[in-house]
Amino acid sequence: MLEQSNDGARTPKTAAADSVFQNGSRSAQELACITEDSLLEEYNMLMSALHVSVSKHLFTERFEVVWANDFYYAMTGYTREEYERLFENCCGMYFQNDPEEYAKLSAKVMKAFEAGEPGYECLLHMRQKGDSFTWIHVVGKFTNELIDGMPVIYSTFTNVDDVVQIERERSIAYDNIPGFIARYRVGEHGLSLLYGNDRFAEFSAPSVRPRCNDCCKAT
């Protein structure tokens, strides 16, 4: 099964094969770890190239990071080492200066978990290094996996600044159009009001004025 060059010399490929298989020098468990590490590295590169943050967290109040790809840290503006040192590698510490945003995330997570849903979604205004901000769309998935008795959550963060900007511009445009503008969602139990422009709000009772998306209210 080992390959040789035409002159009978061993090629690098055969040398690598020998190091793995000769005399059973590596166990099946070691080979599995090598394969897993290679796949994880490729996955990290792929998700980072797509500008998608992927992370694995303990389901606790601190939301500790078990593993995260490079882009998870890049989105914050901190290096992996800085994040681990300054924030103890957990979301709770990272959002310590923005408790309202973290409370919003926590509420979404708990509501979905208590309702027995498979995961959750949330839009957050995240502070970055240097006190700049970015909008991120958070999608989480509950799992049956346990680490030291604690449940594990998988999560993705994606930058949605462009989407937020478009929504803001559309909101401004709607408010400057004469007449009523309203947007509804068609759901299983009927229509739900998502947005109404200022003229719609003036005509309607204040109680029915829909709250615009959080992204439209932030400055």
Side-chain angles (χ1 to χ4, degrees), residues 56-130:
K56 179 178 179 179
H57 303 263
L58 295 182
F59 189 1
T60 67
E61 292 183 358
R62 287 162 50 88
F63 217 49
E64 293 92 338
V65 178
V66 177
W67 177 89
N69 70 338
D70 294 337
F71 196 69
Y72 173 90
Y73 300 99
M75 287 187 72
T76 68
Y78 293 90
T79 66
R80 184 184 295 264
E81 292 74 19
E82 287 174 330
Y83 188 97
E84 292 175 350
R85 174 171 51 85
L86 295 172
F87 310 111
E88 301 176 7
N89 211 27
C90 67
C91 290
M93 286 289 291
Y94 185 78
F95 279 90
Q96 60 186 332
N97 292 325
D98 303 289
E100 291 183 358
E101 291 298 312
Y102 193 66
K104 186 194 304 182
L105 173 63
S106 299
K108 286 282 187 179
V109 173
M110 292 308 302
K111 181 179 180 181
F113 181 75
E114 291 172 357
E117 297 177 5
Y120 58 90
E121 293 186 44
C122 186
L123 182 67
L124 294 180
H125 206 204
M126 186 181 76
R127 186 187 302 269
Q128 295 176 302
K129 186 176 183 179

